């Protein structure tokens, strides 16, 4: 057990999906997985393990922001030897062609600072996604005909920002969306030689002011979770698709 994840080592899978909201972790686990077991609820940050098409997978809440995510990802890697970490979360669209409910696959994530900045010091490190996971996610979106965008995002330290000048420059430089965790996830994955990807659903838009309701944010992100599972286990997804076709 670790300080913030009070679970026995054998209860956590090699692959973990990471929503920020613990209630979203509960919803995703009980919607998509079979044989679901709660693995811990320390500080109310829920975690679950189950199976998807025969593959063991865990879903662990991380809380909001890079410092909170850093705690859970560090413990998942160093305490439980997790190999694949996929963030499933919401984001704010920044480009005109990025619409509500679209999927954003984060190739890279810019930030002003992250908890890893203390390690990297003066270096402006460029945290990027794992290429194989990114490729799998693109294929999943294309197969399911899900509207998606691939490119850079911005991981912010603040949810309520007064930096309209920075937002304008991010839009100018092609940043697709803003969220609060991916840059640290990618930095930790690189440090420990693990695989990571952020798969995000656009829940609001900085330009248009449109936004999904809180209930929609918690319960209506099915495409994102399905993509994440197919990304982590492409062979299991292909086998399930073959079985569906042969049973018709």
């Amino acid at each position: 057990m670790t300080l913030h994840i009070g679970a026995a080592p054998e209860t956590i899978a090699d692959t973990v999906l990471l929503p920020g909201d613990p209630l979203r972790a509960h919803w995703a686990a009980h919607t998509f997985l079979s044989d679901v077991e709660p693995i811990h609820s320390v500080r109310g940050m829920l975690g679950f393990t189950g199976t998807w098409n025969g593959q063991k997978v865990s879903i662990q809440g991380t809380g909001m922001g890079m410092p909170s995510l850093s705690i859970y990802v560090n413990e998942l890697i160093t305490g439980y030897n997790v190999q694949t970490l996929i963030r499933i979360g919401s984001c704010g669209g920044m480009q005109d062609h990025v619409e509500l409910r679209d999927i954003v696959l984060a190739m890279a994530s810019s930030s002003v600072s992250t908890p890893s900045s203390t390690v990297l010091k003066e270096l402006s490190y460029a945290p990027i996604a794992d290429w194989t996971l990114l490729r799998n996610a693109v294929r999943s979106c294309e197969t399911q005909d899900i509207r998606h965008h691939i490119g850079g995002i911005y991981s912010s330290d603040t949810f309520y920002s007064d930096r309209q000048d920075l937002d304008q420059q991010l839009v100018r430089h092609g940043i697709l969306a803003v969220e609060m965790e991916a840059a640290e996830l990618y930095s930790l994955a690189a440090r420990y030689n693990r695989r990571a990807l952020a798969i995000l659903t656009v829940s609001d838009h900085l330009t248009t002011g449109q936004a999904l309701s809180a209930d929609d944010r918690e319960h209506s992100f099915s495409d994102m979770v399905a993509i994440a599972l197919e990304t982590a286990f492409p062979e299991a997804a292909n086998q399930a698709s073959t079985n569906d076709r042969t049973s018709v």
Side-chain angles (χ1 to χ4, degrees):
M1 294 185 182
T2 59
L3 184 60
H4 299 90
I5 303 176
E10 66 276 5
T11 64
I12 295 183
D14 289 341
T15 295
V16 182
L17 307 190
L18 302 168
D21 184 352
L23 293 181
R24 190 177 299 156
H26 181 279
W27 167 79
H30 288 86
T31 301
F32 288 88
L33 306 185
S34 302
D35 305 316
V36 177
E37 295 288 345
I39 53 178
H40 83 98
S41 58
V42 177
R43 295 177 179 242
M45 196 57 66
L46 308 177
F48 304 87
T49 294
T51 59
W52 181 79
N53 288 343
Q55 303 297 314
K56 184 178 179 181
V57 57
S58 296
I59 303 180
Q60 170 64 52
T62 65
M64 291 185 288
M66 288 181 275
S68 183
L69 174 134
S70 186
I71 290 172
Y72 291 98
V73 170
N74 265 293
E75 293 189 7
L76 286 169
I77 292 173
T78 62
Y80 298 93
N81 199 31
V82 170
Q83 300 296 311
T84 300
L85 304 111
I86 300 178
R87 167 159 157 69
I88 48 172
S90 58
C91 65
M94 300 193 75
Q95 299 294 329
D96 289 341
H97 65 279
V98 176
E99 301 177 358
L100 290 186
R101 299 185 186 276
D102 284 0
I103 295 294
V104 173
L105 305 176
M107 183 185 299
S109 185
S110 303
S111 64
V112 173
S113 66
T114 75
S116 290
S117 299
T118 58
V119 176
L120 297 162
K121 298 182 180 179
E122 73 278 5
L123 177 68
S124 293
Y125 181 69
I128 61 173
D130 176 82
W131 163 242
T132 301
L133 292 178
L134 180 60
R135 180 183 59 189
N136 292 347
V138 172
R139 288 175 176 171
S140 176
C141 288
E142 291 175 344
T143 299
Q144 300 182 61
D145 195 26
I146 294 173
R147 189 178 154 87
H148 63 285
H149 310 275
I150 310 156
I153 65 168
Y154 170 54
S155 294
S156 176
D157 282 329
T158 57
F159 186 85
Y160 299 106
S161 174
D162 292 322
R163 289 291 310 278
Q164 292 185 356
D165 60 323
L166 177 58
D167 292 344
Q168 291 169 357
Q169 290 301 323
L170 292 171
V171 172
R172 181 186 181 193
H173 286 80
I175 294 298
L176 296 173
V178 57
E179 52 85 77
M180 300 183 70
E181 290 87 16
E184 178 66 3
L185 171 61
Y186 288 2
S187 296
L188 290 172
R191 186 177 309 155
Y192 292 106
N193 192 28
R194 307 302 162 95
R195 306 194 310 163
L197 177 66
I199 301 173
L200 309 168
T201 299
V202 180
S203 61
D204 57 90
H205 204 288
L206 272 66
T207 302
T208 66
Q210 293 177 303
L212 300 178
S213 69
D215 187 63
D216 282 338
R217 288 174 186 240
E218 182 179 333
H219 294 293
S220 68
F221 292 168
S222 296
D223 286 348
M224 173 175 60
V225 182
I227 293 165
L229 291 166
E230 292 192 358
T231 295
F233 307 108
E235 293 182 359
N238 291 337
Q239 184 60 50
S241 178
T242 300
N243 292 341
D244 288 342
R245 288 195 298 269
T246 57
S247 65
V248 175

